[in-house]
Amino acid sequence: MTAPVPYMPEIGKAVVRKIAVAGKQPILDLSLNESSHGASPLATAAATLRCQRLMRYPDPASAALRQAIGRRYGLSPDDLVCGNGSEELLDIIGRLYARPGDEILFTDYGFLQFPIVALRVGATAVRVPERALTADVDALLAGVTARTRILFLANPNNPTGTYVDAAALRRLRDGLPGHVVLVIDSAYAEYVDAPGYSAGHELVAGTENVIVTRTFSKAFGLAALRVGWAHCPPAMTAVLNRMRGIGNVNAIAQEAAVAALDDMDFVARVRDETARERARVTRALDGLGLAVVPGVTNFVIARFPAGSNRGAAAAIAHLAARDIVVRGIEDYGLADHLRITIGRPAENDRLIAGLASLLP
Ligand SMILES: Cc1ncc(COP(=O)(O)O)c(C=O)c1O
């Protein structure tokens, strides 16, 4: 078995460290799809307050957090499992449902953690083709075999930023045999205001094999605290709870996430500005001759001219020299593309100016 590929934050951080030495101006890190808006002041205040009781263990059941999530999203807290980031939950799902010889299915440009989970458990990672850098439900269904145990779909997907609509998602669920666990990773759901989109919670009820995962790392701006959650059928909730660490979500994270759910106006502002800025960055990059993939998240990918001194690799170096970090995605098989997080307006101005000085 080959060693797991390094998880992607390492890649951005390595570049940051390298250019930080230059230290000319504040580094603009647009490489990790983090929120450029920070967190709600309510969340920060709750985290700070909890720091006064650091000697107390966290609630191992994350009960208040599950109740707050349940209230906010109209779900039963009993059907929710919280994790140390949704990353932990994806990992647990892999360890629970797949073993060597089994197949884990996802799309060609599916989120990098999916093959990492497959490698960790010794299962075979099976990729199916996408259509126009978008998941193709028919290809996914055609890719299912007697050995498939898990189908991971990030919707919208990282790094492509594209999504399939609720009808396609339902068709996928309905077409899957009972031996396959469908995991809908809706990490970017809060950003999406697109026709027909659904995070997929309506598909969990009445099934035994559908899980939706969500995170506080993106639009809520709590990536440092590591809080994610899974919405599962009751039988799966029970096994996920047995598999996770007892104090897997730390107390500061639990308190901050509960408070963040009381400030959905903040999330709405993040979503609206991100959508406006995504449209503006897209227009600007299109104007520079780059092909931007229409996405619905807090990042975009753009194709650079292949094999030229204005290609993706040249653009990374050119931007790094200006203390701007973006994410090359050759490890996803998209060597001509860069993934760029949408920043605040002034940050996006800086990115656009940086690229304009490279491209004619
Ligand atoms: C599609 C997708 N799912 C899950 C995650 C992991 O999020 P978390 O911070 O909750 O572990 C990410 C992080 O970038 C992501 O892009």
Side-chain angles (χ1 to χ4, degrees):
M1 192 172 82
T2 37
V5 281
Y7 185 59
M8 61 182 187
E10 291 307 311
I11 297 168
K13 295 271 157 55
V15 183
V16 173
R17 270 196 297 274
K18 201 170 85 199
I19 68 168
V21 176
K24 281 175 282 184
Q25 56 184 322
I27 290 164
L28 174 55
D29 188 348
L30 300 176
S31 70
L32 293 175
N33 301 346
E34 294 156 333
S35 173
S36 307
H37 295 253
S40 156
L42 297 188
T44 309
T48 308
L49 194 62
R50 187 58 176 83
C51 285
Q52 291 170 12
R53 290 188 301 121
L54 290 180
M55 69 293 190
R56 299 289 176 206
Y57 279 113
D59 170 13
S62 296
L65 176 55
R66 287 187 298 109
Q67 268 157 23
I69 295 169
R71 264 196 313 277
R72 180 55 66 202
Y73 294 94
L75 305 171
S76 163
D78 293 343
D79 297 341
L80 307 178
V81 180
C82 295
N84 185 32
S86 54
E87 178 201 348
E88 184 200 20
L89 298 165
L90 298 174
D91 191 63
I92 290 176
I93 292 164
R95 287 191 283 133
L96 269 172
Y97 295 107
R99 47 184 57 80
D102 293 341
E103 293 174 358
I104 295 183
L105 193 63
F106 48 93
T107 65
D108 250 350
Y109 307 111
F111 179 43
L112 198 59
Q113 208 196 334
F114 305 155
I116 292 175
V117 168
L119 276 164
R120 279 185 187 147
V121 302
T124 305
V126 179
R127 290 183 168 79
V128 304
E130 298 191 8
R131 210 183 270 242
L133 294 174
T134 306
D136 176 349
V137 163
D138 295 308
L140 279 165
L141 288 172
V144 173
T145 72
R147 294 179 165 217
T148 311
R149 288 290 169 269
I150 301 174
L151 191 166
F152 281 121
L153 178 69
N155 198 43
N157 183 49
N158 171 15
T160 51
T162 57
Y163 75 103
V164 298
D165 68 16
L169 216 49
R170 182 173 292 274
R171 201 154 61 77
L172 178 62
R173 199 254 341 237
D174 292 349
L176 278 183
H179 67 272
V180 181
V181 175
L182 171 62
V183 182
I184 304 169
D185 171 353
S186 300
Y188 296 93
E190 287 79 9
Y191 286 107
V192 187
D193 181 16
Y197 175 76
S198 162
H201 295 288
E202 72 282 6
L203 301 181
V204 175
T207 69
E208 291 182 352
N209 61 342
V210 181
I211 303 178
V212 174
T213 58
R214 306 281 296 257
T215 184
F216 285 89
S217 297
K218 303 300 174 183
F220 287 97
L222 297 179
L225 293 178
R226 318 300 303 121
V227 203
W229 53 282
H231 173 210
C232 328
M236 287 185 151
T237 313
V239 284
L240 257 71
N241 270 324
R242 253 177 267 143
M243 197 73 162
R244 67 174 174 81
I246 293 168
N248 64 332
V249 185
N250 75 71
I252 301 170
Q254 290 187 33
E255 302 270 347
V258 168
L261 288 165
D262 274 337
D263 196 357
M264 295 309 283
D265 287 349
F266 172 85
V267 176
R269 284 196 299 277
V270 169
R271 184 197 56 222
D272 292 349
E273 185 188 291
T274 303
R276 274 197 305 279
E277 285 296 298
R278 186 177 61 232
R280 188 170 74 88
V281 169
T282 299
R283 277 195 304 277
L285 269 48
D286 277 341
L288 293 173
L290 304 173
V292 182
V293 175
V296 293
T297 59
N298 66 330
F299 58 89
V300 290
I301 62 168
R303 196 176 70 239
F304 284 67
S308 77
N309 56 4
R310 296 191 179 107
I316 289 178
H318 184 84
L319 291 173
R322 285 153 186 77
D323 296 334
I324 303 170
V325 190
V326 296
R327 171 75 151 83
I329 47 175
E330 63 284 354
D331 49 346
Y332 278 97
L334 292 168
D336 295 342
H337 290 73
L338 294 184
R339 192 189 69 196
I340 302 170
T341 306
I342 302 299
R344 302 303 304 268
E347 295 173 330
N348 298 328
D349 288 345
R350 195 170 145 196
L351 168 87
I352 293 165
L355 282 174
S357 62
L358 172 74
L359 301 162

